Amino acid sequence: MPELYPLENSVQHNDWGSRTRIQELLGTVPDGTPAAELWLGAHPSAPSRVDGGGSLLELVRSAPDAMLGRRVADEYGPRLPYLLKVLAADRSLSLQVHPKPHAARAGFNRENRQGLPPGDPCRSFHDDQHKPEMVVALTEFEGLAGFRAPRAVLDLLDGLDGALVGDVRALLAADRSPGGVKAAFTRLVVARHDAGTPDDVATTVAAVTARLASGSPSSRADATVLQLATEHPGDPAALASLLLNRVTLDPGQGLFLPAGEVHAYLSGLGVEIMASSDNVLRAGLTTKLVDEEALVECASFVPRPPQPPRTRAGGGRGQVTTYRAPVREFALTLADVGPDEKVELPAEGPRIVLCLSGDLEVGAEGCPAPATLGRGASVFVPHDAGPLRLSGSGHAVCAWVP
């Protein structure tokens, strides 16, 4: 008989993480250690544990048709195609990009031939999967995503001191096509290898500081440069923020990042869902491996505004919002459940439900016993459990395959 599987999920401790937010969600006592991400899924790097023993990875592989459904298993094989996260950032993440499918396969196979073992910090490609992703803000959420139009970048660079920004300005002025954007961005990210770059970055940062103090016409962009330069002194990637769109999400707003989109999250708490991959190509703003060559090879340099996901609001006294991106691996539904109300969730496929607040009951048509979730608790709902509903009082997120 089908059953619901309570999950034990892993917390990733990166230096940019919050010291309180994920701890508050899970009901643990903060000890000063930053907690950056809560992973819910079956990625081999950190699969969720199924209550009673074993991992979600092993459970899915043991019965893919029952766990995933024939449609999902036929398309993706015996693997959960998405990875759900709660992301809590008190400072900026790395300037990064995620590879497209062909680049992920090629990079993963290349590093395997080089003999790099799984989990090696010298690896750029930890699996052979692409990694489009979507984030939905739970608090005000700040980030950078995609390239500004060259004309807007030139306006931001106008009057700034420093040889490096002078080179970038000249490259963009000569070529405002995506090729010129690529040349300008590449000039910035490879400058980290030049001995004089920290001093040159400091010169530009001083000019940005002066402009901001005198009434900058681009105060948000300038403030971003100063934030990144403070967190990562001398890193030219702080100046690269002037090439990227600045994004602020209010709670409930979302952002879709296709594979190849250069981005960096800056601060905030959000729910993030992605294709099940751990491939991150970094160009700066980090103490981890920087692989600017792979990033430039995989990135898209076509200027475009940030891409919100498609949203659809449901009915009832509570609020149910579904977020869809132009990919096949994942979708999200956020639900506010009121007393004496039942909320219907996706009826098939592999689903993960996480309680964000309150006390909720998760019931499935094919399961005799519901699962009770308090704040921070989660459950895997297999395909063969059938249609899914929430009751109680609280706020939850459900990951599913459209």
Side-chain angles (χ1 to χ4, degrees):
M1 180 172 289
E3 59 180 300
L4 306 178
Y5 298 91
L7 298 176
E8 298 176 7
N9 307 299
S10 65
V11 176
Q12 306 298 311
H13 300 281
N14 296 307
D15 58 5
W16 49 262
S18 171
R19 288 170 169 77
T20 59
R21 284 173 167 167
I22 287 179
Q23 295 87 334
E24 290 171 354
L25 174 66
L26 298 178
T28 58
V29 178
D31 62 2
T33 302
E37 296 175 337
L38 178 69
W39 284 29
L40 302 93
H43 191 276
S45 294
S48 299
R49 306 291 298 178
V50 177
D51 191 26
S55 72
L56 184 57
L57 175 66
E58 295 164 339
L59 179 67
V60 169
R61 287 177 175 173
S62 71
D65 282 359
M67 296 297 113
L68 305 175
R70 178 63 60 85
R71 174 182 66 88
V72 175
D74 283 350
E75 184 163 359
Y76 300 104
R79 53 184 295 271
L80 187 65
Y82 61 77
L83 175 61
L84 178 66
K85 297 181 182 180
V86 178
L87 183 147
D90 275 358
R91 53 184 293 187
S92 63
L93 282 66
S94 59
L95 186 64
Q96 61 185 254
V97 76
H98 306 307
K100 297 178 181 179
H102 67 283
R105 290 191 296 269
F108 184 65
N109 291 334
R110 180 173 62 250
E111 292 182 347
N112 286 343
R113 291 193 301 271
Q114 293 169 354
L116 294 174
D120 191 302
C122 292
R123 289 193 77 111
S124 292
F125 297 89
H126 296 275
D127 52 64
D128 63 356
Q129 297 296 313
H130 74 155
K131 193 182 174 186
E133 67 184 31
M134 177 172 65
V135 64
V136 176
L138 298 178
T139 65
E140 185 174 85
F141 196 91
E142 306 286 350
L144 301 164
F147 287 98
R148 301 179 192 262
R151 178 181 297 176
V153 176
L154 289 168
D155 287 343
L156 290 173
L157 296 177
D158 187 41
L160 293 182
D161 301 327
L164 188 55
V165 293
D167 290 348
V168 171
R169 191 162 44 229
L171 289 165
L172 273 180
D175 182 0
R176 300 190 184 190
S177 73
V181 176
K182 179 179 180 180
F185 182 79
T186 302
R187 176 69 188 96
L188 277 170
V189 298
V190 301
R192 63 188 302 272
H193 300 292
D194 300 338
T197 291
D199 289 340
D200 189 59
V201 170
T203 297
T204 303
V205 169
V208 171
T209 303
R211 183 167 72 179
L212 194 58
S214 63
S216 170
S218 51
S219 58
R220 193 160 74 138
D222 286 349
T224 302
V225 172
L226 298 188
Q227 174 193 339
L228 298 178
T230 300
E231 294 174 358
H232 304 276
D235 191 332
L239 306 182
S241 66
L242 295 170
L243 277 66
L244 300 170
N245 296 303
R246 185 67 165 77
V247 180
T248 298
L249 303 178
D250 292 327
Q253 291 184 317
L255 175 67
F256 171 62
L257 294 164
E261 189 94 317
V262 177
H263 64 282
Y265 297 143
L266 302 178
S267 64
L269 179 69
V271 175
E272 191 180 21
I273 190 167
M274 60 204 66
S276 186
S277 172
D278 193 26
N279 288 328
V280 181
L281 307 174
R282 302 176 182 89
L285 308 179
T286 183
T287 57
K288 294 184 178 181
L289 175 70
V290 171
D291 191 344
E292 66 269 12
E293 181 178 349
L295 182 145
V296 169
E297 180 183 352
C298 292
S300 169
F301 294 97
V302 177
R304 58 186 169 195
Q307 300 181 56
R310 301 194 312 274
T311 59
R312 186 186 70 224
R317 286 176 294 168
Q319 181 177 357
V320 179
T321 305
T322 294
Y323 300 80
R324 293 284 298 272
V327 294
R328 298 172 61 87
E329 287 94 338
F330 58 76
L332 276 180
T333 295
L334 265 65
D336 285 323
V337 185
D340 303 320
E341 182 178 33
K342 294 187 185 297
V343 171
E344 303 295 326
L345 292 177
E348 62 178 23
R351 292 146 288 177
I352 291 177
V353 180
L354 168 66
C355 178
L356 297 170
S357 66
D359 293 289
L360 296 170
E361 188 173 88
V362 181
E365 187 175 281
C367 298
T372 300
L373 302 182
R375 183 176 185 177
S378 58
V379 64
F380 175 71
V381 183
H383 169 78
D384 66 356
L388 185 63
R389 64 189 178 276
L390 287 179
S391 58
S393 180
H395 185 200
V397 59
C398 178
W400 53 286
V401 182

